[in-house]
Amino acid sequence: MTASAPAAMTGRQKPSRARVLVRALPALLLLVLALAGPLLAPHAIDRPLAAPYGPADGTAALGGDLLGRDVLSRLLSGGAPLIATALAIALAVTAAATALGILAALRPRFGRWVERAADLAILLPAVLGIMLIALAWPSGGRLAVGLAATVLGTPYAVRVVAAAAAPIAATGYVETASAGGERLWYLMAREVLPNLRATLLALFGLRFVEGVYIVSIAAFLQLGPQPPEADWALMIRENAPGILLNPWAVAAPCLAIGLLAISVNLAADALAPARPSPETPL
Amino acid sequence: MIPAAAERATAPGPARHLPGAGRAARLAVRRLGMLALLLAAVFAAIELLPGDAADATSERGESAADTTLRREALGLDRPVAERFWDWISGLPTGDLGTTAHGQPVTSVLSGPFPNTLLLGSLALALSITGALALGSWAALRPGGRVDRAVAVASTAAFALPEFVVSVALLLVFSQWAGWLPAVTLTGPDGAPASWDMLVLPLLALAIPQIGWNSRIVRGALADQADLPHVQAAIIDGLPRRRILIHHMLPGALPAVAVSTATSAGMLVGGAVVVETLFNYPGVGAVLAGAITDRDTPLVAGVVVATGAAISTLLLLADYVRDRILGTTP
């Protein structure tokens, strides 16, 4: 049901390259700022500088956190690991989904198993799955959360790739190559994959948004990174009790996650001309 | 549901269709089977964790012999498959087993479960109503200002983690405006003490789901707009409202039904976070404690409850699609 409707009726034109760039720009700027953040931090992230929940003043522009550490410095340092983990998850899920999805389109019997696995995965809420894996492997930290997010995110992503690859697998040139005795990996990598660029780019964007969501939820539940670390979601959880004394300690990381999630999602949306489909059994 | 399905069966259809009642039963059995499979997987996953319930709940200074005794009392020395069978065969009678602390699972969950159910179903209702309203509003003006605004707002909303929405709502409505309470106080009956304590958790849960569902509604309605009978209605000059309600919405229902089921799963995840932040007396806090205690039956109990709710919604979605499209999955 995706993308079959003519653009005129749905009111969505295929976005021009310039418009995509304009919509993706805030996300790119934010990514650069977050990744360069640790270099810009004015103070050490682990040394008390002000009173606990001290208000904003000359030395600490956004005040102190629950231990009096500089909120601004922790804010600038807390983005890079979160974004790196989310990027790793997005890459892993997209890669796994690409391989399995194309295979499912070329081998329908395998495709039916993929569908059943995705049907099963929808019954287990992602947060419950992450709790299970992160607690099974307490020393895993970010790696455990990343692994959980990859395992839980892949079934849906495979469905998206398989749905996009199915019409391509049925085209004459793939059938010709298949009848000509080409090997499976050749069909996958040379015949089908090059035609999936738009789908994969959009999938990667959406998986990155999903990665930010899952990594920050896990950090908020204190399943991934542990307290001395400066992580945006962890900062919100830690400083929530002092929201009356220094609202910035909570509001600033909250704004950072909100801006990151929204701008990356808008950018991913701009890259994907197709409308979203419910990523569920249909 | 069965009479309606039987009525359909008399209509000519592809030969692979089973007779009506059988078809409905087959759908239900398939969903039940998947739920059982999921529970087996969760049971196995918890067994793979290092340590078990007897270790996790041991008191300070307890001797190894005491722990072993308790392990036997909890039946943890028996094979996993045997314990799983005991537990799942008790399910139809409403027996969810015993927690690691020796209480029946049903009594541990019976207090917080209605609270979470109340919050979750209100949030589901609000998100579907909101999404239908926003999606239809946008779909009636394709490419217009409203359409573009709804597209951007819904994209933005569904990317936001629930705790970000919660904190924003807390700061605005509780801290600065002072209109609504920031924490939920529990009354003597274990339920929230007053209704206004429900408003902020409800909004925090529903806003990201409204974003997600209004995109689905908008997309499904756009697909409907291309169909010949809708085009014919437009050419006939029928009022827009009538075209929307009588010609477009019925065909969009299957997609909306499936996305409702997806929302239910996401609401469970969101509830764990939102309940923590607002101190809401629900299943979320119980669940967090249960996993640290390696309390397999309690975790499995929560998975049964949520899995059954999602299965029911998926079954309803299957049924809606069956009625409208006349196909079996």
Side-chain angles (χ1 to χ4, degrees), chain B residues 4 9 19 29 82 88 90 98-99 112 116 121 128 133 136 164 170 183 188 190-191 199 246 285 310 325 327:
Chain B
V29 167
E82 198 182 313
I88 204 164
T98 315
T99 72
T116 296
S121 47
I128 295 303
S136 309
V164 171
L170 266 176
V183 289
V199 177
H246 290 269
I310 298 170
L325 304 179
T327 51

Side-chain angles (χ1 to χ4, degrees), chain A residues 53-77:
Chain A
Y53 298 123
D57 58 26
T59 41
L62 292 175
D65 71 354
L66 77 163
L67 297 176
R69 296 169 297 193
D70 181 31
V71 169
L72 180 63
S73 302
R74 289 178 69 79
L75 183 71
L76 285 169
S77 309

Side-chain angles (χ1 to χ4, degrees), chain B residues 67-80:
Chain B
T67 312
T68 312
L69 268 179
R70 214 145 34 86
R71 183 167 293 133
E72 277 164 22
L74 290 169
L76 292 177
D77 49 346
R78 292 182 299 142
V80 189

Side-chain angles (χ1 to χ4, degrees), chain A residues 88-118:
Chain A
I89 292 172
L91 272 175
V93 172
T94 310
T98 306
L100 292 173
I102 296 178
L103 191 61
L106 288 171
R107 296 280 179 273
R109 194 177 294 174
F110 175 70
R112 277 194 288 279
W113 279 104
V114 165
E115 236 166 86
R116 278 175 210 150

Side-chain angles (χ1 to χ4, degrees), chain B residues 257-316:
Chain B
V258 173
S259 82
T260 309
T262 320
S263 272
M266 295 197 257
L267 282 174
V268 174
V272 177
V273 171
V274 170
E275 286 177 4
T276 322
L277 256 176
F278 289 96
N279 194 26
Y280 187 86
V283 171
V286 176
L287 188 60
I291 296 191
T292 354
D293 283 354
R294 307 282 182 264
D295 204 335
T296 316
L298 190 48
V299 176
V302 175
V303 177
V304 173
T306 57
I310 298 170
S311 295
T312 311
L313 288 171
L314 282 174
L315 198 59
L316 283 174

Side-chain angles (χ1 to χ4, degrees), chain A residues 5 135-136 213 265 275 280, chain B residues 49 155 162 218 223 226 258 291:
Chain A
L135 284 160
Y213 178 88
N265 202 18
R275 286 188 310 278
T280 43
Chain B
L49 309 193
T155 304
E162 285 85 356
R218 173 71 184 84
D223 284 341
D226 292 336
V258 173
I291 296 191

